[in-house]
């Protein structure tokens, strides 16, 4: 039973990632958290791996965006003095 629940949760989470997250229009890959996704002059969004391949035909990048974690916000913790 626990194995079935785990597979259902995993399937739901993967479906949410592909539906919500940015995807590369060239290779259809979902960039990892912390990677950059670039928007080209033609309006397409490509990952850092494909930007050099398609920039000659689709135009130069006009902007880039850092892929963030969609599950929960990441905490920034300041070190404390001892």
């Amino acid at each position: 039973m626990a194995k079935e629940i785990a597979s259902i949760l995993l399937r739901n989470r993967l479906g949410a990632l592909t539906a919500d997250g940015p995807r590369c229009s060239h290779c259809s890959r979902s960039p990892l958290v912390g990677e950059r996704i670039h928007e080209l002059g033609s309006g397409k969004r490509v990952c850092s791996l494909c930007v050099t391949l398609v920039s000659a035909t689709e135009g130069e990048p006009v902007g880039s965006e850092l892929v963030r974690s969609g599950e929960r916000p990441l905490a920034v913790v300041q070190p404390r003095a001892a």
Side-chain angles (χ1 to χ4, degrees):
M1 173 119 171
K3 196 174 206 180
E4 294 169 0
I5 292 173
S7 66
I8 291 170
L9 291 174
L10 179 64
R11 192 172 33 241
N12 288 345
R13 185 61 198 143
L14 287 175
L17 279 176
T18 56
D20 296 336
R23 296 188 67 82
C24 177
S25 61
H26 185 256
C27 68
S28 300
R29 185 177 75 87
S30 293
L32 299 173
V33 173
E35 284 188 70
R36 292 207 172 269
I37 189 152
H38 305 276
E39 186 169 348
L40 302 176
S42 63
K44 292 185 178 182
R45 296 172 60 141
V46 294
C47 64
S48 296
L49 300 174
C50 296
V51 71
T52 56
L53 298 172
V54 299
S55 63
T57 58
E58 298 289 335
E60 292 296 318
V62 293
S64 67
E65 179 182 338
L66 190 65
V67 177
R68 303 200 183 272
S69 172
E71 191 171 310
R72 61 186 172 131
L74 300 175
V76 177
V77 179
Q78 298 291 332
R80 294 184 180 180

